[in-house]
Amino acid sequence: MSVRAKFRCTTIAHAFTNNPEYSAATITLVPVWEQEGVNRKWSKATPSGELKMMITNPEAVEQFDLGKEYFVDLTPAD
C-alpha cells in the first residue's frame, strides 16, 4: 500500500560555506488542508506534520519554490 500526500513548501533556508560545492539548503514542507482531494484519503481531519530535508545538491534545491505544492508518495522500501 502507498500513501500520497500534498505538501506546501514553507521554507527554503540556504546555508552557504566558503566552498560552493558544499552549500546546502533546508527545505520545509507542511501538509495542505483541503476540503476534497488527495489529503482527505490519509487525514480525515486537519492534516498535521512537517517534512524537513537538508539538500546538498543545488540542482535539487532549484526544484522547490516557496509556496508551491508538491506530492509526496510514500511506498514501502522492500
Side-chain angles (χ1 to χ4, degrees), residues 60-74:
V61 173
E62 291 175 7
Q63 302 306 307
F64 292 91
D65 292 315
L66 202 55
K68 190 171 180 179
E69 296 177 355
Y70 298 89
F71 286 117
V72 175
D73 293 309
L74 302 166

Side-chain angles (χ1 to χ4, degrees), residues 23-49:
S23 64
T26 300
I27 307 294
T28 306
L29 305 165
V30 297
V32 173
W33 183 88
E34 51 191 2
Q35 196 75 25
E36 298 293 327
V38 70
N39 282 358
R40 293 288 292 167
K41 293 180 181 177
W42 66 269
S43 181
K44 293 182 180 182
T46 304
S48 178

Side-chain angles (χ1 to χ4, degrees), residues 15-25 54-59 61:
F16 298 99
T17 65
N18 291 336
N19 186 341
E21 279 188 54
Y22 296 105
S23 64
M54 178 189 273
I55 301 174
T56 57
N57 178 345
E59 291 177 3
V61 173

